[in-house]
Amino acid sequence: MKTWTGILLMIILAVATLSVTSTAKTTNESQQQLTIDDSSSQAVTVEASYIDGMKDNTNNNQESMPVKADDVSVAPENEHVLVYPMNVEGSGYIYNGLVVEANGTKREFSDWRSEGGTYKPEVHELDLNGDGKKEIVVLYSEGHGTGIYLGRVHILDPDSLEEMKLQSLDDIVKEHVDSKVEPASDKIKIEVAVDGIPAETSTLDKAAGDGSFHDQLQFGRVTYYSVENGKLVASASGAYGEGLYAGDLTFAYTYQDGEWKATDLKYSMEVYEEEFYESFD
């Protein structure tokens, strides 16, 4: 009995070993085939999964900070007009959403994203169009870096804090500015006309290492807004290549036909020092 029992156990173990070996072999062959045939799709899947995971981790790890007194900006014209962040992130340098308070009325703008710290928003209360009613003006930077300064502006009705219609920079350029960039072997010729009036033609040296050039000046990568002498004014640099600027388009805003539009447009061509744009960092 013991002998037959031992033989029977040996047979059962042998069959089990063959089964496990066969299964492992089949699994390895399947994995090897998958690697050969589907390596591209698998790589895409893994990469997408990794990126999604990184996004999830970023969202989970990005904790909001409490709003501090230093995050609040007060209008110099009226201490009862304020702007401050809805949420503060990035060690206090990112404002996700802004709150505007004006004379007892408060409104949240969750889609406004601003820099904080020394670049925190400004707010003003002043009569821009001379109708005896003071508008609320909010200015902020959406981001900055080498050759980049993304200034933003909003004009609000003082009673409802509704945004008033403001002509975009793209529409202003399309309506008022014509330009042409003509690169040669060692020079770049730039011609600009504002409302049909030519500005001074600029001829710049073509530096070694310069990349491709635009056919016409591009605006929007360096844009400043400010309140000066009771007016909202803007300055937008014209780029003839990536990080290469020829001069500035300046203008003020006036209220016409239910919209704030550009007026007093001028274009001044200057050759900027490289350090000027590096100072945006």
Side-chain angles (χ1 to χ4, degrees):
M1 289 293 293
K2 291 182 179 180
T3 302
W4 284 107
T5 301
I7 293 173
L8 182 59
L9 286 173
M10 290 177 65
I11 293 173
I12 292 172
L13 289 172
V15 171
T17 302
L18 288 172
S19 176
V20 170
T21 303
S22 177
T23 302
K25 181 179 180 182
T26 302
T27 302
N28 291 335
E29 288 176 349
S30 299
Q31 291 176 341
Q32 184 177 8
Q33 189 69 25
L34 180 63
T35 303
I36 293 172
D37 295 342
D38 298 331
S39 59
S40 177
S41 62
Q42 288 296 304
V44 171
T45 302
V46 170
E47 183 179 357
S49 175
Y50 177 76
I51 292 173
D52 289 341
M54 288 293 289
K55 289 180 180 178
D56 291 340
N57 289 337
T58 300
N59 292 335
N60 291 336
N61 294 333
Q62 189 71 68
E63 295 182 357
S64 294
M65 302 173 62
V67 176
K68 300 177 295 184
D70 289 344
D71 298 317
V72 180
S73 298
V74 181
E77 304 85 2
N78 183 352
E79 64 180 4
H80 300 293
V81 176
L82 316 170
V83 62
Y84 52 89
M86 293 175 61
N87 294 292
V88 180
E89 297 177 358
S91 300
Y93 294 103
I94 298 174
Y95 293 173
N96 280 323
L98 294 177
V99 180
V100 178
E101 287 191 19
N103 306 311
T105 302
K106 181 169 71 173
R107 190 179 184 93
E108 295 181 347
F109 298 90
S110 59
D111 57 336
W112 294 1
R113 182 180 173 89
S114 166
E115 291 190 279
T118 57
Y119 292 90
K120 73 178 185 179
E122 293 180 35
V123 62
H124 294 269
E125 183 192 53
L126 65 164
D127 184 1
L128 289 174
N129 55 7
D131 65 352
K133 187 177 180 180
K134 295 182 179 180
E135 290 77 32
I136 306 300
V137 181
V138 180
L139 316 166
Y140 59 87
S141 165
E142 207 168 59
H144 76 282
T146 302
I148 298 173
Y149 189 90
L150 304 177
R152 297 290 183 262
V153 63
H154 301 276
I155 302 177
L156 309 179
D157 179 273
D159 298 324
S160 64
L161 297 185
E162 292 278 353
E163 284 195 69
M164 304 180 75
K165 190 174 182 181
L166 185 76
Q167 189 178 24
S168 69
L169 178 60
D170 286 344
D171 289 342
I172 291 169
V173 172
K174 288 177 183 177
E175 181 178 344
H176 297 279
V177 181
D178 292 308
S179 63
K180 183 189 297 184
V181 178
E182 297 179 324
S185 57
D186 60 345
K187 299 286 185 180
I188 300 169
K189 182 180 178 182
I190 300 173
E191 297 179 340
V192 180
V194 177
D195 292 328
I197 302 175
E200 182 181 354
T201 299
S202 180
T203 303
L204 307 176
D205 292 330
K206 188 176 178 182
D210 285 350
S212 59
F213 301 99
H214 306 310
D215 295 331
Q216 55 188 6
L217 295 178
Q218 305 293 309
F219 295 86
R221 300 277 283 177
V222 176
T223 308
Y224 288 94
Y225 296 95
S226 60
V227 172
E228 298 178 10
N229 299 320
K231 292 184 178 181
L232 174 61
V233 298
S235 174
S237 297
Y240 61 91
E242 187 63 33
L244 302 172
Y245 297 91
D248 290 333
L249 175 69
T250 59
F251 54 91
Y253 281 98
T254 187
Y255 196 64
Q256 302 174 2
D257 303 322
E259 181 180 7
W260 291 95
K261 296 183 179 181
T263 187
D264 298 330
L265 291 94
K266 297 180 181 63
Y267 192 86
S268 174
M269 290 188 175
E270 298 178 9
V271 179
Y272 291 99
E273 297 291 336
E274 185 176 355
E275 289 80 5
F276 174 76
Y277 289 103
E278 289 180 347
S279 69
F280 295 155
D281 287 340

Short mmCIF file of all heavy atoms in Angstrom, two decimals, residues 138-200:
data_model
loop_
_atom_site.label_atom_id
_atom_site.label_comp_id
_atom_site.label_asym_id
_atom_site.label_seq_id
_atom_site.Cartn_x
_atom_site.Cartn_y
_atom_site.Cartn_z
N VAL A 138 -9.25 96.25 -13.71
CA VAL A 138 -8.40 95.23 -13.09
C VAL A 138 -7.27 94.89 -14.07
O VAL A 138 -7.52 94.54 -15.22
CB VAL A 138 -9.18 93.96 -12.74
CG1 VAL A 138 -8.26 92.93 -12.09
CG2 VAL A 138 -10.35 94.30 -11.80
N LEU A 139 -6.04 95.00 -13.59
CA LEU A 139 -4.85 94.71 -14.40
C LEU A 139 -4.06 93.60 -13.72
O LEU A 139 -3.90 93.61 -12.50
CB LEU A 139 -3.96 95.95 -14.52
CG LEU A 139 -4.62 97.30 -14.81
CD1 LEU A 139 -3.64 98.43 -14.57
CD2 LEU A 139 -5.11 97.34 -16.24
N TYR A 140 -3.55 92.66 -14.51
CA TYR A 140 -2.70 91.62 -13.92
C TYR A 140 -1.83 90.97 -14.99
O TYR A 140 -2.05 91.14 -16.20
CB TYR A 140 -3.53 90.56 -13.19
CG TYR A 140 -4.56 89.83 -14.03
CD1 TYR A 140 -4.23 88.69 -14.75
CD2 TYR A 140 -5.88 90.27 -14.07
CE1 TYR A 140 -5.19 88.02 -15.50
CE2 TYR A 140 -6.84 89.60 -14.80
CZ TYR A 140 -6.48 88.48 -15.52
OH TYR A 140 -7.43 87.81 -16.27
N SER A 141 -0.86 90.22 -14.53
CA SER A 141 0.01 89.44 -15.42
C SER A 141 -0.40 87.98 -15.36
O SER A 141 -0.51 87.39 -14.28
CB SER A 141 1.48 89.59 -14.98
OG SER A 141 2.27 88.60 -15.61
N GLU A 142 -0.60 87.40 -16.53
CA GLU A 142 -0.95 85.98 -16.60
C GLU A 142 0.30 85.11 -16.63
O GLU A 142 0.23 83.90 -16.43
CB GLU A 142 -1.79 85.73 -17.85
CG GLU A 142 -2.72 84.54 -17.75
CD GLU A 142 -3.72 84.52 -18.89
OE1 GLU A 142 -3.29 84.47 -20.07
OE2 GLU A 142 -4.93 84.56 -18.62
N GLY A 143 1.45 85.72 -16.88
CA GLY A 143 2.71 84.98 -16.90
C GLY A 143 3.81 85.83 -17.50
O GLY A 143 3.56 86.77 -18.24
N HIS A 144 5.07 85.50 -17.16
CA HIS A 144 6.19 86.22 -17.73
C HIS A 144 7.39 85.30 -17.78
O HIS A 144 7.44 84.26 -17.13
CB HIS A 144 6.52 87.46 -16.89
CG HIS A 144 7.23 87.17 -15.61
ND1 HIS A 144 6.57 86.68 -14.49
CD2 HIS A 144 8.54 87.25 -15.27
CE1 HIS A 144 7.44 86.50 -13.51
NE2 HIS A 144 8.64 86.83 -13.96
N GLY A 145 8.34 85.67 -18.60
CA GLY A 145 9.57 84.91 -18.78
C GLY A 145 10.47 85.65 -19.74
O GLY A 145 10.23 86.81 -20.06
N THR A 146 11.51 84.97 -20.24
CA THR A 146 12.41 85.61 -21.18
C THR A 146 11.67 85.93 -22.47
O THR A 146 11.20 85.05 -23.17
CB THR A 146 13.61 84.69 -21.49
OG1 THR A 146 14.28 84.39 -20.28
CG2 THR A 146 14.57 85.36 -22.46
N GLY A 147 11.53 87.22 -22.78
CA GLY A 147 10.83 87.63 -23.99
C GLY A 147 9.33 87.49 -23.92
O GLY A 147 8.66 87.55 -24.96
N ILE A 148 8.76 87.33 -22.72
CA ILE A 148 7.31 87.14 -22.59
C ILE A 148 6.80 87.96 -21.40
O ILE A 148 7.39 87.92 -20.31
CB ILE A 148 6.95 85.66 -22.36
CG1 ILE A 148 7.37 84.82 -23.56
CG2 ILE A 148 5.45 85.50 -22.13
CD1 ILE A 148 7.19 83.33 -23.33
N TYR A 149 5.72 88.69 -21.61
CA TYR A 149 4.99 89.31 -20.50
C TYR A 149 3.53 89.39 -20.92
O TYR A 149 3.17 90.18 -21.80
CB TYR A 149 5.52 90.70 -20.16
CG TYR A 149 4.91 91.24 -18.89
CD1 TYR A 149 5.50 91.01 -17.66
CD2 TYR A 149 3.71 91.94 -18.93
CE1 TYR A 149 4.92 91.48 -16.49
CE2 TYR A 149 3.12 92.41 -17.77
CZ TYR A 149 3.73 92.17 -16.56
OH TYR A 149 3.14 92.63 -15.41
N LEU A 150 2.69 88.55 -20.31
CA LEU A 150 1.30 88.41 -20.72
C LEU A 150 0.39 89.26 -19.85
O LEU A 150 -0.26 88.77 -18.92
CB LEU A 150 0.87 86.94 -20.67
CG LEU A 150 1.75 85.97 -21.49
CD1 LEU A 150 1.26 84.53 -21.30
CD2 LEU A 150 1.76 86.36 -22.96
N GLY A 151 0.37 90.55 -20.12
CA GLY A 151 -0.51 91.44 -19.38
C GLY A 151 -1.96 91.26 -19.79
O GLY A 151 -2.26 90.97 -20.95
N ARG A 152 -2.87 91.42 -18.83
CA ARG A 152 -4.31 91.29 -19.08
C ARG A 152 -5.04 92.45 -18.42
O ARG A 152 -4.58 92.99 -17.41
CB ARG A 152 -4.85 89.95 -18.53
CG ARG A 152 -4.24 88.72 -19.18
CD ARG A 152 -4.71 88.56 -20.61
NE ARG A 152 -4.19 87.35 -21.22
CZ ARG A 152 -3.11 87.31 -22.01
NH1 ARG A 152 -2.45 88.43 -22.27
NH2 ARG A 152 -2.71 86.16 -22.53
N VAL A 153 -6.21 92.81 -18.98
CA VAL A 153 -6.99 93.91 -18.42
C VAL A 153 -8.47 93.60 -18.56
O VAL A 153 -8.90 92.95 -19.53
CB VAL A 153 -6.66 95.25 -19.12
CG1 VAL A 153 -7.03 95.21 -20.60
CG2 VAL A 153 -7.34 96.42 -18.43
N HIS A 154 -9.26 94.05 -17.57
CA HIS A 154 -10.72 93.94 -17.62
C HIS A 154 -11.31 95.23 -17.09
O HIS A 154 -10.80 95.81 -16.11
CB HIS A 154 -11.22 92.77 -16.76
CG HIS A 154 -10.67 91.44 -17.18
ND1 HIS A 154 -11.22 90.69 -18.19
CD2 HIS A 154 -9.59 90.74 -16.73
CE1 HIS A 154 -10.53 89.58 -18.33
NE2 HIS A 154 -9.53 89.59 -17.46
N ILE A 155 -12.38 95.71 -17.74
CA ILE A 155 -13.11 96.89 -17.28
C ILE A 155 -14.49 96.44 -16.85
O ILE A 155 -15.20 95.76 -17.61
CB ILE A 155 -13.20 97.96 -18.39
CG1 ILE A 155 -11.81 98.36 -18.87
CG2 ILE A 155 -13.96 99.19 -17.89
CD1 ILE A 155 -11.82 99.36 -20.01
N LEU A 156 -14.89 96.82 -15.62
CA LEU A 156 -16.14 96.34 -15.05
C LEU A 156 -17.09 97.51 -14.80
O LEU A 156 -16.66 98.62 -14.44
CB LEU A 156 -15.88 95.62 -13.72
CG LEU A 156 -14.82 94.52 -13.71
CD1 LEU A 156 -14.69 93.93 -12.31
CD2 LEU A 156 -15.14 93.43 -14.73
N ASP A 157 -18.37 97.22 -14.96
CA ASP A 157 -19.40 98.18 -14.57
C ASP A 157 -19.35 98.34 -13.05
O ASP A 157 -19.32 97.34 -12.31
CB ASP A 157 -20.78 97.67 -15.00
CG ASP A 157 -21.88 98.62 -14.61
OD1 ASP A 157 -22.39 98.50 -13.47
OD2 ASP A 157 -22.24 99.48 -15.43
N PRO A 158 -19.33 99.56 -12.53
CA PRO A 158 -19.14 99.76 -11.09
C PRO A 158 -20.31 99.28 -10.23
O PRO A 158 -20.12 99.00 -9.04
CB PRO A 158 -18.95 101.28 -10.96
CG PRO A 158 -19.64 101.84 -12.16
CD PRO A 158 -19.45 100.84 -13.25
N ASP A 159 -21.50 99.21 -10.80
CA ASP A 159 -22.67 98.79 -10.02
C ASP A 159 -22.85 97.28 -9.99
O ASP A 159 -22.99 96.67 -8.93
CB ASP A 159 -23.93 99.46 -10.59
CG ASP A 159 -23.87 100.97 -10.51
OD1 ASP A 159 -23.32 101.49 -9.51
OD2 ASP A 159 -24.35 101.64 -11.44
N SER A 160 -22.82 96.64 -11.16
CA SER A 160 -23.06 95.20 -11.25
C SER A 160 -21.79 94.37 -11.25
O SER A 160 -21.82 93.15 -11.05
CB SER A 160 -23.84 94.89 -12.54
OG SER A 160 -23.06 95.21 -13.69
N LEU A 161 -20.65 95.02 -11.50
CA LEU A 161 -19.36 94.36 -11.70
C LEU A 161 -19.38 93.40 -12.89
O LEU A 161 -18.59 92.46 -12.96
CB LEU A 161 -18.90 93.63 -10.42
CG LEU A 161 -18.63 94.51 -9.20
CD1 LEU A 161 -18.06 93.68 -8.06
CD2 LEU A 161 -17.66 95.64 -9.56
N GLU A 162 -20.28 93.63 -13.82
CA GLU A 162 -20.28 92.89 -15.08
C GLU A 162 -19.13 93.39 -15.94
O GLU A 162 -18.81 94.58 -15.95
CB GLU A 162 -21.60 93.10 -15.83
CG GLU A 162 -22.82 92.48 -15.16
CD GLU A 162 -22.96 91.00 -15.47
OE1 GLU A 162 -22.18 90.50 -16.32
OE2 GLU A 162 -23.83 90.36 -14.86
N GLU A 163 -18.51 92.46 -16.69
CA GLU A 163 -17.45 92.87 -17.61
C GLU A 163 -18.03 93.69 -18.75
O GLU A 163 -19.03 93.30 -19.35
CB GLU A 163 -16.72 91.65 -18.17
CG GLU A 163 -15.76 91.00 -17.21
CD GLU A 163 -14.82 90.04 -17.92
OE1 GLU A 163 -13.96 90.50 -18.70
OE2 GLU A 163 -14.97 88.83 -17.71
N MET A 164 -17.37 94.77 -19.07
CA MET A 164 -17.75 95.58 -20.22
C MET A 164 -16.97 95.09 -21.43
O MET A 164 -15.85 94.57 -21.31
CB MET A 164 -17.46 97.05 -19.94
CG MET A 164 -18.14 97.59 -18.69
SD MET A 164 -17.79 99.34 -18.35
CE MET A 164 -18.80 100.13 -19.60
N LYS A 165 -17.57 95.23 -22.58
CA LYS A 165 -16.94 94.72 -23.80
C LYS A 165 -15.68 95.50 -24.11
O LYS A 165 -15.68 96.74 -24.12
CB LYS A 165 -17.92 94.81 -24.98
CG LYS A 165 -17.44 94.09 -26.23
CD LYS A 165 -18.50 94.08 -27.31
CE LYS A 165 -18.02 93.32 -28.53
NZ LYS A 165 -19.03 93.33 -29.63
N LEU A 166 -14.61 94.77 -24.37
CA LEU A 166 -13.30 95.37 -24.59
C LEU A 166 -12.71 94.81 -25.89
O LEU A 166 -12.61 93.58 -26.05
CB LEU A 166 -12.36 95.07 -23.42
CG LEU A 166 -10.99 95.70 -23.42
CD1 LEU A 166 -11.08 97.17 -23.04
CD2 LEU A 166 -10.06 94.97 -22.43
N GLN A 167 -12.35 95.68 -26.79
CA GLN A 167 -11.77 95.23 -28.06
C GLN A 167 -10.46 94.48 -27.80
O GLN A 167 -9.58 94.95 -27.09
CB GLN A 167 -11.52 96.43 -28.97
CG GLN A 167 -11.13 96.07 -30.39
CD GLN A 167 -10.93 97.30 -31.27
OE1 GLN A 167 -10.65 98.39 -30.78
NE2 GLN A 167 -11.10 97.13 -32.58
N SER A 168 -10.34 93.30 -28.40
CA SER A 168 -9.15 92.47 -28.17
C SER A 168 -7.95 93.01 -28.94
O SER A 168 -8.09 93.74 -29.93
CB SER A 168 -9.42 91.03 -28.61
OG SER A 168 -9.53 90.96 -30.03
N LEU A 169 -6.78 92.63 -28.48
CA LEU A 169 -5.55 93.06 -29.15
C LEU A 169 -5.52 92.54 -30.58
O LEU A 169 -5.10 93.27 -31.50
CB LEU A 169 -4.33 92.57 -28.36
CG LEU A 169 -2.97 92.91 -28.96
CD1 LEU A 169 -2.78 94.41 -29.09
CD2 LEU A 169 -1.85 92.29 -28.13
N ASP A 170 -5.95 91.30 -30.80
CA ASP A 170 -5.96 90.75 -32.16
C ASP A 170 -6.83 91.60 -33.09
O ASP A 170 -6.44 91.89 -34.22
CB ASP A 170 -6.48 89.31 -32.14
CG ASP A 170 -5.47 88.33 -31.58
OD1 ASP A 170 -4.27 88.70 -31.50
OD2 ASP A 170 -5.85 87.21 -31.22
N ASP A 171 -8.01 91.98 -32.61
CA ASP A 171 -8.91 92.80 -33.44
C ASP A 171 -8.33 94.19 -33.68
O ASP A 171 -8.51 94.77 -34.76
CB ASP A 171 -10.28 92.90 -32.78
CG ASP A 171 -11.05 91.58 -32.84
OD1 ASP A 171 -10.69 90.72 -33.66
OD2 ASP A 171 -12.01 91.41 -32.06
N ILE A 172 -7.66 94.74 -32.68
CA ILE A 172 -7.04 96.06 -32.83
C ILE A 172 -5.98 96.02 -33.92
O ILE A 172 -5.91 96.89 -34.80
CB ILE A 172 -6.45 96.53 -31.49
CG1 ILE A 172 -7.57 96.83 -30.50
CG2 ILE A 172 -5.56 97.76 -31.68
CD1 ILE A 172 -7.09 97.04 -29.08
N VAL A 173 -5.13 94.99 -33.88
CA VAL A 173 -4.06 94.87 -34.87
C VAL A 173 -4.65 94.68 -36.27
O VAL A 173 -4.20 95.31 -37.24
CB VAL A 173 -3.12 93.71 -34.50
CG1 VAL A 173 -2.12 93.45 -35.63
CG2 VAL A 173 -2.38 94.02 -33.20
N LYS A 174 -5.66 93.81 -36.39
CA LYS A 174 -6.27 93.57 -37.70
C LYS A 174 -6.88 94.84 -38.28
O LYS A 174 -6.81 95.09 -39.49
CB LYS A 174 -7.35 92.49 -37.58
CG LYS A 174 -6.80 91.10 -37.36
CD LYS A 174 -7.93 90.10 -37.18
CE LYS A 174 -7.41 88.71 -36.88
NZ LYS A 174 -8.51 87.74 -36.63
N GLU A 175 -7.48 95.66 -37.42
CA GLU A 175 -8.16 96.86 -37.89
C GLU A 175 -7.21 98.01 -38.21
O GLU A 175 -7.46 98.79 -39.16
CB GLU A 175 -9.16 97.31 -36.82
CG GLU A 175 -9.95 98.55 -37.20
CD GLU A 175 -10.97 98.96 -36.15
OE1 GLU A 175 -11.28 98.13 -35.26
OE2 GLU A 175 -11.45 100.10 -36.21
N HIS A 176 -6.11 98.11 -37.47
CA HIS A 176 -5.30 99.33 -37.57
C HIS A 176 -3.89 99.14 -38.12
O HIS A 176 -3.28 100.12 -38.56
CB HIS A 176 -5.19 99.98 -36.18
CG HIS A 176 -6.49 100.42 -35.61
ND1 HIS A 176 -7.09 101.62 -35.95
CD2 HIS A 176 -7.31 99.83 -34.69
CE1 HIS A 176 -8.22 101.75 -35.27
NE2 HIS A 176 -8.38 100.69 -34.50
N VAL A 177 -3.35 97.94 -38.08
CA VAL A 177 -1.91 97.77 -38.36
C VAL A 177 -1.68 96.90 -39.60
O VAL A 177 -2.27 95.83 -39.74
CB VAL A 177 -1.20 97.13 -37.15
CG1 VAL A 177 0.30 96.98 -37.44
CG2 VAL A 177 -1.42 97.97 -35.90
N ASP A 178 -0.82 97.39 -40.47
CA ASP A 178 -0.30 96.61 -41.60
C ASP A 178 1.22 96.56 -41.46
O ASP A 178 1.86 97.60 -41.20
CB ASP A 178 -0.66 97.25 -42.94
CG ASP A 178 -2.15 97.19 -43.22
OD1 ASP A 178 -2.72 96.09 -43.14
OD2 ASP A 178 -2.75 98.25 -43.51
N SER A 179 1.78 95.38 -41.63
CA SER A 179 3.24 95.26 -41.49
C SER A 179 3.78 94.22 -42.46
O SER A 179 3.05 93.35 -42.94
CB SER A 179 3.61 94.89 -40.06
OG SER A 179 3.09 93.62 -39.72
N LYS A 180 5.07 94.34 -42.73
CA LYS A 180 5.74 93.41 -43.63
C LYS A 180 7.16 93.18 -43.13
O LYS A 180 7.88 94.12 -42.81
CB LYS A 180 5.77 93.96 -45.05
CG LYS A 180 6.39 93.01 -46.09
CD LYS A 180 6.59 93.70 -47.43
CE LYS A 180 5.26 94.12 -48.02
NZ LYS A 180 5.45 94.72 -49.38
N VAL A 181 7.54 91.90 -43.05
CA VAL A 181 8.89 91.53 -42.65
C VAL A 181 9.58 90.89 -43.85
O VAL A 181 9.09 89.88 -44.38
CB VAL A 181 8.87 90.55 -41.45
CG1 VAL A 181 10.29 90.13 -41.08
CG2 VAL A 181 8.17 91.18 -40.25
N GLU A 182 10.71 91.48 -44.27
CA GLU A 182 11.42 91.00 -45.46
C GLU A 182 12.86 90.66 -45.09
O GLU A 182 13.72 91.55 -45.05
CB GLU A 182 11.39 92.05 -46.57
CG GLU A 182 9.99 92.39 -47.07
CD GLU A 182 10.01 93.44 -48.16
OE1 GLU A 182 10.86 94.37 -48.07
OE2 GLU A 182 9.21 93.33 -49.09
N PRO A 183 13.16 89.39 -44.81
CA PRO A 183 14.54 89.01 -44.49
C PRO A 183 15.38 88.88 -45.77
O PRO A 183 14.92 88.37 -46.77
CB PRO A 183 14.39 87.66 -43.79
CG PRO A 183 13.03 87.17 -44.11
CD PRO A 183 12.22 88.30 -44.64
N ALA A 184 16.61 89.38 -45.70
CA ALA A 184 17.58 89.21 -46.77
C ALA A 184 18.74 88.36 -46.22
O ALA A 184 18.63 87.77 -45.15
CB ALA A 184 18.06 90.57 -47.26
N SER A 185 19.85 88.34 -46.94
CA SER A 185 20.95 87.48 -46.53
C SER A 185 21.55 87.90 -45.18
O SER A 185 21.86 87.06 -44.35
CB SER A 185 22.04 87.48 -47.59
OG SER A 185 22.50 88.81 -47.83
N ASP A 186 21.69 89.20 -44.96
CA ASP A 186 22.29 89.67 -43.72
C ASP A 186 21.48 90.75 -43.02
O ASP A 186 21.87 91.23 -41.96
CB ASP A 186 23.70 90.18 -43.97
CG ASP A 186 23.72 91.33 -44.96
OD1 ASP A 186 22.71 91.53 -45.65
OD2 ASP A 186 24.75 92.04 -45.04
N LYS A 187 20.35 91.18 -43.60
CA LYS A 187 19.53 92.23 -43.04
C LYS A 187 18.06 91.79 -43.00
O LYS A 187 17.64 90.89 -43.71
CB LYS A 187 19.65 93.52 -43.86
CG LYS A 187 21.05 94.11 -43.94
CD LYS A 187 21.46 94.76 -42.63
CE LYS A 187 22.82 95.44 -42.77
NZ LYS A 187 23.25 96.10 -41.51
N ILE A 188 17.31 92.48 -42.16
CA ILE A 188 15.86 92.26 -42.10
C ILE A 188 15.18 93.62 -42.19
O ILE A 188 15.43 94.51 -41.36
CB ILE A 188 15.44 91.56 -40.79
CG1 ILE A 188 16.14 90.21 -40.68
CG2 ILE A 188 13.93 91.38 -40.73
CD1 ILE A 188 16.00 89.57 -39.33
N LYS A 189 14.34 93.78 -43.19
CA LYS A 189 13.64 95.04 -43.40
C LYS A 189 12.22 94.90 -42.86
O LYS A 189 11.51 93.95 -43.18
CB LYS A 189 13.60 95.38 -44.89
CG LYS A 189 12.93 96.69 -45.21
CD LYS A 189 12.95 96.94 -46.72
CE LYS A 189 12.23 98.22 -47.09
NZ LYS A 189 12.22 98.43 -48.56
N ILE A 190 11.80 95.86 -42.04
CA ILE A 190 10.47 95.82 -41.42
C ILE A 190 9.74 97.12 -41.72
O ILE A 190 10.24 98.21 -41.44
CB ILE A 190 10.57 95.62 -39.90
CG1 ILE A 190 11.30 94.30 -39.59
CG2 ILE A 190 9.18 95.62 -39.27
CD1 ILE A 190 11.60 94.10 -38.14
N GLU A 191 8.57 96.98 -42.32
CA GLU A 191 7.74 98.14 -42.64
C GLU A 191 6.42 98.03 -41.87
O GLU A 191 5.81 96.96 -41.81
CB GLU A 191 7.46 98.20 -44.13
CG GLU A 191 8.71 98.40 -44.99
CD GLU A 191 8.39 98.44 -46.47
OE1 GLU A 191 7.32 97.94 -46.85
OE2 GLU A 191 9.22 98.95 -47.25
N VAL A 192 5.99 99.15 -41.29
CA VAL A 192 4.76 99.17 -40.50
C VAL A 192 3.96 100.41 -40.87
O VAL A 192 4.53 101.50 -41.02
CB VAL A 192 5.05 99.16 -38.99
CG1 VAL A 192 3.74 99.18 -38.19
CG2 VAL A 192 5.89 97.96 -38.59
N ALA A 193 2.65 100.22 -41.00
CA ALA A 193 1.75 101.36 -41.19
C ALA A 193 0.60 101.23 -40.20
O ALA A 193 0.06 100.14 -40.00
CB ALA A 193 1.22 101.41 -42.62
N VAL A 194 0.25 102.35 -39.56
CA VAL A 194 -0.86 102.38 -38.61
C VAL A 194 -1.94 103.29 -39.18
O VAL A 194 -1.69 104.48 -39.45
CB VAL A 194 -0.40 102.89 -37.23
CG1 VAL A 194 -1.59 102.99 -36.28
CG2 VAL A 194 0.66 101.97 -36.65
N ASP A 195 -3.12 102.70 -39.41
CA ASP A 195 -4.22 103.43 -40.04
C ASP A 195 -3.79 104.08 -41.36
O ASP A 195 -4.15 105.21 -41.68
CB ASP A 195 -4.79 104.49 -39.08
CG ASP A 195 -5.49 103.88 -37.89
OD1 ASP A 195 -6.07 102.79 -38.04
OD2 ASP A 195 -5.44 104.47 -36.80
N GLY A 196 -2.98 103.33 -42.09
CA GLY A 196 -2.54 103.79 -43.41
C GLY A 196 -1.37 104.74 -43.40
O GLY A 196 -0.86 105.11 -44.46
N ILE A 197 -0.91 105.16 -42.25
CA ILE A 197 0.21 106.11 -42.15
C ILE A 197 1.49 105.31 -41.84
O ILE A 197 1.59 104.67 -40.79
CB ILE A 197 -0.04 107.15 -41.05
CG1 ILE A 197 -1.32 107.92 -41.34
CG2 ILE A 197 1.15 108.08 -40.93
CD1 ILE A 197 -1.72 108.88 -40.25
N PRO A 198 2.46 105.35 -42.77
CA PRO A 198 3.68 104.55 -42.56
C PRO A 198 4.50 105.05 -41.37
O PRO A 198 4.64 106.26 -41.17
CB PRO A 198 4.46 104.71 -43.87
CG PRO A 198 3.46 105.23 -44.85
CD PRO A 198 2.47 106.03 -44.06
N ALA A 199 5.01 104.11 -40.61
CA ALA A 199 6.01 104.43 -39.59
C ALA A 199 7.38 104.36 -40.24
O ALA A 199 7.52 103.95 -41.40
CB ALA A 199 5.90 103.44 -38.43
N GLU A 200 8.38 104.75 -39.50
CA GLU A 200 9.74 104.72 -40.04
C GLU A 200 10.15 103.28 -40.32
O GLU A 200 10.01 102.39 -39.47
CB GLU A 200 10.71 105.36 -39.05
CG GLU A 200 12.14 105.41 -39.55
CD GLU A 200 13.08 106.04 -38.53
OE1 GLU A 200 12.58 106.53 -37.49
OE2 GLU A 200 14.29 106.03 -38.75
#
